[in-house]
Amino acid sequence: MKNAITPGRSISFLLLTCLLLIASSFAFSQDTLRSYTATRLTRNIKVDGILDSAEWSEISAAGNFIQNQPFEGKPASFKTEVRICYDNHGIYVAAMMFDPSPDSILHELGIRDAQGINADQFRLLIDPYNKRQDAFEFGVWASGVQIDSKFTDPTFDAVWHSATKINEHGWTAEMMIPYSAIRFPETKEQLWGLQFTRTIRRTREFTQFALTPNVQANPLRFFANLKGISDIEPPLRLSFTPFLSYAFSNQPLFDGNKFIYFNSNSYTAGADVKYGIDDRFTLDLTLFPDFGQVQSDRRIKTLGYQEITYAENRAFFKEGTELFNKGNLFYSRRIGKTPSGYYSIPFSISNNERIVANPNQVRLLNAAKLSGRTNNGLGIGFFNALTDHTYAIIEDSVGTRRKELTEPLTNYNILVLDQQMDNNNNIYFINTNVTRAGLFSDANVTGTGFKLYNKKSTWAIQADGVLTQKFSRPDPEVPVFTDQVGYSYFAGFGKVSGNFLFSAWTRTGSRAYDARDLGYFSINNYRTYAFEPEYNIYTPNKYLRNSFNFLSITYREFLPNHKRSAMNIEGKSFNTLHNFHSVFVGGGTSPFSNFDYYEPRLENRFYKTAQYFYIFYGISSDYRKKLAVDLTVSNSWFYKNHHGSFPNYPGHNLNATIRYRFNDHLTVSYINEFGIDPYNPGFATIDSSAVIFGGRKLLTHVNGIIFKYIFIKDMMLTANVRHYWNTGEYIDYYTLNEDGNLTKNPYNYNLSYSTNFFNVDVVYSWIFLPGSTLSLVYKNAIEEDTQLSYIRRFNENLKQTFDLPQTNTISLRMVYFLDYQNIRRMKKLKASAHP
């Protein structure tokens, strides 16, 4: 088409728009904001939750809190007073939450940083650079449990001190935030963004010192100003966290004929180091890390072409990685993954050989990340990780051993530049690089993007572009690498503030686009268009406390021929009633037969999909009660005259979670998921170049029990038991024709399967000092993926699962936190006590 907008023209247009919006950006007026002035501390304060220090009585209080929920703008029901002072070591906070019924204050114990604890809460939020784009959060529940985070990094953890008390007037919270836990500019007079919040759990009232309207996209614009802090210096931020661990494991190993068990003992020592290069930049190092106590994955079976992703549970890769997630090009589970050659080893040995060792995880040698922001708002991040060679060890009948390389030595790098501008605007650049030893393939990915708001932060535009390069050897006999280049780009705009919101966007990925070496993507060679409106009610009306309503319309086309590969319409309405029960309903449809070029798993082949629709509905009960229930039911159907004319049996899914809180210490939850897809058409196998599809009956059972007992706020015992069972019974087989239609095929191989994943994680954890932990963990793991020869009953399958080979591990780990500033301070106190 002569007038078509090419990718290059689109990017040029977006960059021009970016420059115009930057020119119109502005700083929010500071004159309309509330403020509080901190007082310099002249004597020592003991952080014990008892606000009887003379220092507190001499400091003016911040009060007059305002409701954010349920009635935005109304005065708080109960009085709150907060005081702040500071010294050369940190800032101190004392909060008095008045309550006419102290015996009604909810104070459930919980795990540090857990959400949804059934207790009242107080939070301090500070923005030391006053850029209105990020803030530190330090909160305490009435039970004394701590919670901390950053707006841009919910995994942020710091070592700080707090105490709470319930008394005859209500409850108190006292905090000491050391300067080593935060970052602030090196200036004589500090001006910080400030917010206090209070949650009264039994009434669900949420109040703030500085009201942030619910309809606004950037609440930091409305934070108060914290004044009065002066003549403080950013400290040397240096902490050292060594660890020692011991693990005993009893695990099965397939020697080519049968499973045999062997015991192993391992001792590990390592450390995490955090060094503040200056007041802005921090270097984090982990040396010889041990992830043996990491929570087990919630594994599932998939028959689709999209890779399954799992949550990151390793602390080093969760915390402080907000900069490295720009462009969604960093999937940290790539580092320390299952070796690429792990599953091929059992098929590469001869009859007289057995497998002595085949590690299922690549060993991480070390990792480092450098991150921070300049005074002008330029964020700089550098990440590096190195994983070791991974070998399987194979032994023959006479005892001769050989090694098979399953994953080479690999270096991972990320460089990020992220420029923050006024009004929450930003533009970023990111590069990721993966280099493997020897003649294995390497990869390089470069991306850039921006997000810009108008003056009132009611509208926004966003765009990004990514270039991927893969360097591989097509011929193993010729040491020459080919360079495969692909691209992806995104552009969108929308209304981001108010009750009515919407976004409209498009994303394109070329055929050669591949970011899987360090990132994740699902498909390439496509273009997607989407329109997503929503309407939300934040203030209670006659029927509801609040309501959130969302609609999504997406259209995807195959790039080479522009044929429709997907068309989906989905919607959901979530509503909370005045009695704090919630009800929701939604559904979706694929109303047209689409050309799916990914399901056949062969180049230039496609499958004409069947049209379907589904609905779901459910409830979530009041979590203030001892008994709480979440229930979701969904049903799905093919259209009456759908393409393919498959048997039109309805599908059903039921997800239920029942949680019972026996008291403030003990909570037990039961999770059940059941799904039946009576006729699921999809790719089965390739037979002599013919693409075989199957019509299969899929059954899924998931059962889990979560036990949580909190002895005291720093000592807990948790147990997580999960059993996942999925079966696929092939009822019919088809041949995929060149026109995308299916023809019945008398295929006589049995592809039916049964998959079981059973995991037990029992964890005892004791935080014996701030930042220091002793933990004892027991883990049990069973895995089965085998042919389904007959239909099993659930009880029979569970019994057979327990008879399968299983891995049992017991590990003990001690982590000790050493902070340079704390050690220095203790030495000074000892010196002053013994002159």
Side-chain angles (χ1 to χ4, degrees):
M1 292 173 51
K2 185 176 181 179
N3 294 323
I5 299 178
T6 65
R9 289 179 181 176
S10 298
I11 294 173
S12 299
F13 172 76
L14 290 170
L15 288 175
L16 177 60
T17 306
C18 172
L19 293 174
L20 291 174
L21 283 177
I22 291 174
S24 65
S25 65
F26 82 112
F28 188 75
S29 173
Q30 300 284 317
D31 298 333
T32 61
L33 302 177
R34 298 192 72 178
S35 66
Y36 178 81
T37 302
T39 303
R40 178 171 277 277
L41 185 64
T42 58
R43 56 177 72 92
N44 291 331
I45 288 181
K46 182 181 179 181
V47 179
D48 56 8
I50 303 173
L51 309 183
D52 58 359
S53 170
E55 191 75 21
W56 291 129
S57 63
E58 299 169 2
I59 297 175
S60 61
N64 298 323
F65 277 45
I66 306 167
Q67 287 190 44
N68 177 277
Q69 295 175 13
F71 298 103
E72 182 181 308
K74 288 189 175 183
S77 299
F78 303 150
K79 182 180 177 182
T80 303
E81 291 183 348
V82 188
R83 294 169 170 85
I84 295 181
C85 60
Y86 69 98
D87 60 14
N88 291 331
H89 306 289
I91 60 173
Y92 299 77
V93 181
M96 179 66 221
M97 277 65 66
F98 291 92
D99 195 311
S101 303
D103 57 345
S104 298
I105 296 172
L106 298 176
H107 53 279
E108 182 189 14
L109 288 161
I111 299 172
R112 191 185 193 276
D113 285 336
Q115 300 288 342
I117 296 178
N118 198 47
D120 285 21
Q121 186 193 71
F122 170 78
R123 294 189 307 159
L124 162 75
L125 298 97
I126 51 175
D127 175 11
Y129 286 90
N130 208 26
K131 297 290 186 181
R132 310 284 162 163
Q133 298 194 18
D134 199 4
F136 295 93
E137 171 194 345
F138 300 94
V140 286
W141 304 90
S143 53
V145 180
Q146 291 184 345
I147 182 171
D148 52 15
S149 68
K150 289 173 65 179
F151 267 52
T152 57
D153 180 16
T155 64
F156 166 81
D157 270 319
V159 177
W160 49 287
H161 307 275
S162 66
T164 62
K165 294 286 183 182
I166 295 178
N167 57 38
E168 67 273 18
H169 303 295
W171 70 284
T172 63
E174 199 169 14
M175 302 177 177
M176 188 276 182
I177 316 297
Y179 294 137
S180 57
I182 60 176
R183 302 177 188 179
F184 56 89
E186 193 171 356
T187 60
K188 179 178 176 58
E189 299 289 337
Q190 301 286 328
L191 178 64
W192 298 0
L194 173 69
Q195 178 69 287
F196 305 120
T197 74
R198 176 186 178 182
T199 300
I200 304 171
R201 178 64 175 173
R202 68 181 184 274
T203 61
R204 297 285 185 96
E205 182 175 291
F206 178 64
T207 60
Q208 300 173 305
F209 177 63
L211 178 65
T212 62
N214 287 300
V215 297
Q216 290 293 324
N218 180 17
L220 282 85
R221 296 174 61 237
F222 302 90
F223 274 22
N225 287 316
L226 175 59
K227 303 176 181 179
I229 299 178
S230 62
D231 297 311
I232 62 171
E233 294 182 1
L236 174 63
R237 291 181 292 112
L238 175 61
S239 64
F240 182 64
T241 312
F243 74 85
L244 293 171
S245 66
Y246 163 76
F248 168 80
S249 180
N250 175 258
Q251 55 187 335
L253 185 66
F254 187 70
D255 66 356
N257 298 305
K258 64 182 184 304
F259 281 98
I260 59 174
Y261 280 88
F262 69 96
N263 298 331
S264 64
N265 295 274
S266 63
Y267 301 86
T268 309
D272 290 344
V273 180
K274 186 181 290 288
Y275 172 59
I277 298 174
D278 57 17
D279 64 292
R280 302 160 298 176
F281 291 92
T282 301
L283 175 66
D284 291 277
L285 301 171
T286 184
L287 307 173
F288 308 110
D290 172 30
F291 301 122
Q293 292 192 338
V294 168
Q295 180 181 337
S296 300
D297 289 325
R298 298 174 59 84
R299 298 184 61 188
I300 63 172
K301 170 85 170 183
T302 181
L303 298 174
Y305 48 81
Q306 297 189 24
E307 177 188 5
I308 300 173
T309 60
Y310 293 103
E312 179 58 84
N313 295 317
R314 300 169 295 178
F316 182 84
F317 294 101
K318 289 174 62 177
E319 299 168 7
T321 58
E322 68 274 15
L323 269 176
F324 305 103
N325 291 322
K326 296 293 182 182
N328 296 317
L329 297 176
F330 179 36
Y331 176 42
S332 58
R333 293 295 297 266
R334 300 289 185 211
I335 303 171
K337 64 177 184 176
T338 299
S340 303
Y342 171 78
Y343 294 101
S344 64
I345 290 298
F347 304 99
S348 66
I349 61 176
S350 58
N351 293 332
N352 66 335
E353 291 183 319
R354 70 184 185 94
I355 301 171
V356 176
N358 186 18
N360 62 1
Q361 190 175 47
V362 174
R363 183 189 178 202
L364 177 65
L365 294 176
N366 55 67
K369 53 192 177 190
L370 171 67
S371 61
R373 287 192 183 274
T374 68
N375 293 339
N376 294 323
L378 176 62
I380 301 174
F382 177 74
F383 175 93
N384 178 266
L386 182 67
T387 58
D388 202 2
H389 289 289
T390 306
Y391 294 95
I393 301 176
I394 300 169
E395 184 179 77
D396 63 19
S397 57
V398 296
T400 303
R401 293 188 173 186
R402 63 184 177 90
K403 297 195 302 183
E404 286 282 341
L405 182 67
T406 56
E407 189 73 28
L409 180 79
T410 306
N411 189 73
Y412 300 88
N413 278 298
I414 307 176
L415 173 65
V416 182
L417 302 175
D418 177 49
Q419 179 64 61
Q420 291 181 342
M421 298 170 285
D422 290 341
N423 209 40
N424 209 31
N425 299 325
N426 85 296
I427 185 169
Y428 71 86
F429 168 88
I430 182 171
N431 175 264
T432 72
N433 181 274
V434 178
T435 304
R436 298 179 174 90
L439 296 176
F440 289 85
S441 63
D442 302 327
N444 188 76
V445 177
T446 303
T448 185
F450 63 83
K451 188 170 185 179
L452 303 169
Y453 296 83
N454 69 332
K455 291 183 177 182
K456 295 183 179 180
S457 292
T458 53
W459 294 83
I461 64 168
Q462 185 175 358
D464 65 55
V466 180
L467 189 71
T468 65
Q469 296 172 279
K470 290 185 70 72
F471 307 94
S472 58
R473 294 174 61 204
D475 186 347
E477 302 298 325
V478 181
V480 176
F481 286 82
T482 61
D483 182 2
Q484 179 178 318
V485 179
Y487 65 87
S488 169
Y489 60 87
F490 166 92
F493 73 99
K495 185 174 181 290
V496 296
S497 293
N499 296 96
F500 173 72
L501 312 172
F502 79 88
S503 64
W505 55 268
T506 179
R507 180 174 289 280
T508 299
S510 72
R511 179 180 180 276
Y513 177 77
D514 190 348
R516 289 174 294 184
D517 289 82
L518 191 49
Y520 168 82
F521 78 98
S522 56
I523 58 174
N524 54 13
N525 214 12
Y526 72 98
R527 179 175 288 119
T528 301
Y529 303 93
F531 178 66
E532 298 172 337
E534 59 182 288
Y535 183 79
N536 303 319
I537 300 172
Y538 303 101
T539 303
N541 57 31
K542 183 178 179 181
Y543 304 103
L544 303 171
R545 286 182 64 88
N546 53 56
S547 177
F548 300 92
N549 306 277
F550 176 80
L551 179 67
S552 174
I553 304 171
T554 59
Y555 177 92
R556 186 174 64 220
E557 64 181 21
F558 190 58
L559 271 184
N561 55 23
H562 302 290
K563 286 189 175 181
R564 182 183 61 247
S565 62
M567 172 68 180
N568 297 298
I569 303 172
E570 300 174 303
K572 180 178 181 179
S573 177
F574 188 94
N575 308 278
T576 302
L577 309 177
H578 289 292
N579 60 4
F580 299 106
H581 295 303
S582 297
V583 294
F584 53 90
V585 63
T589 180
S590 181
F592 306 111
S593 179
N594 303 305
F595 294 81
D596 190 336
Y597 284 85
Y598 311 101
E599 187 66 18
R601 319 297 165 89
L602 283 183
E603 195 78 19
N604 299 320
R605 298 294 301 276
F606 62 89
Y607 161 59
K608 290 183 179 179
T609 63
Q611 308 96 297
Y612 65 88
F613 65 98
Y614 67 92
I615 60 172
F616 64 87
Y617 41 92
I619 61 169
S620 179
S621 70
D622 183 1
Y623 263 61
R624 299 172 304 167
K625 307 297 184 182
K626 285 183 175 292
L627 177 65
V629 177
D630 289 297
L631 178 67
T632 303
V633 178
S634 61
N635 308 101
S636 58
W637 300 266
F638 290 120
Y639 277 95
K640 184 176 181 180
N641 296 313
H642 66 277
H643 185 82
S645 300
F646 304 121
N648 201 358
Y649 307 124
H652 305 286
N653 284 275
L654 171 69
N655 295 342
T657 299
I658 302 173
R659 189 223 64 185
Y660 189 80
R661 187 179 68 255
F662 290 86
N663 51 49
D664 287 337
H665 298 268
L666 175 62
T667 302
V668 178
S669 301
Y670 170 67
I671 301 170
N672 176 266
E673 300 175 22
F674 172 74
I676 176 170
D677 189 344
Y679 204 86
N680 176 275
F683 173 83
T685 187
I686 295 177
D687 182 40
S688 301
S689 75
V691 179
I692 306 299
F693 269 51
R696 56 243 174 166
K697 179 182 180 180
L698 305 180
L699 285 174
T700 303
H701 296 263
V702 182
N703 287 275
I705 297 176
I706 300 174
F707 172 94
K708 180 181 68 176
Y709 188 85
I710 313 297
F711 299 95
I712 57 176
K713 66 182 180 69
D714 294 325
M715 183 185 296
M716 63 208 69
L717 176 68
T718 62
N720 193 327
V721 181
R722 178 179 182 265
H723 176 223
Y724 171 92
W725 181 35
N726 175 259
T727 62
E729 178 192 2
Y730 279 81
I731 301 170
D732 298 310
Y733 292 102
Y734 301 89
T735 298
L736 178 66
N737 303 322
E738 295 291 336
D739 61 0
N741 295 310
L742 300 178
T743 302
K744 279 285 185 73
N745 185 321
Y747 190 73
N748 57 6
Y749 288 97
N750 180 20
L751 298 180
S752 299
Y753 67 87
S754 174
T755 300
N756 280 279
F757 297 123
F758 183 87
N759 293 95
V760 177
D761 289 30
V762 180
V763 180
Y764 167 80
S765 180
W766 174 33
I767 305 174
F768 58 90
L769 287 172
S772 301
T773 306
L774 181 68
S775 54
L776 178 66
V777 175
Y778 167 73
K779 300 178 75 170
N780 173 275
I782 303 173
E783 176 180 340
E784 177 203 41
D785 194 1
T786 188
Q787 186 182 77
L788 181 67
S789 55
Y790 67 97
I791 304 302
R792 306 177 191 170
R793 294 183 178 180
F794 177 81
N795 292 340
E796 178 186 1
N797 174 77
L798 188 61
K799 182 180 182 301
Q800 291 186 14
T801 300
F802 289 148
D803 293 334
L804 292 170
Q806 54 188 276
T807 299
N808 291 277
T809 304
I810 298 177
S811 60
L812 179 66
R813 176 184 171 97
M814 186 178 74
V815 177
Y816 195 85
F817 176 77
L818 297 168
D819 180 72
Y820 171 79
Q821 291 299 326
N822 192 46
I823 295 173
R824 182 182 177 190
R825 187 180 182 186
M826 293 301 295
K827 286 183 176 180
K828 286 184 177 180
L829 290 174
K830 288 182 179 180
S832 62
H834 302 283

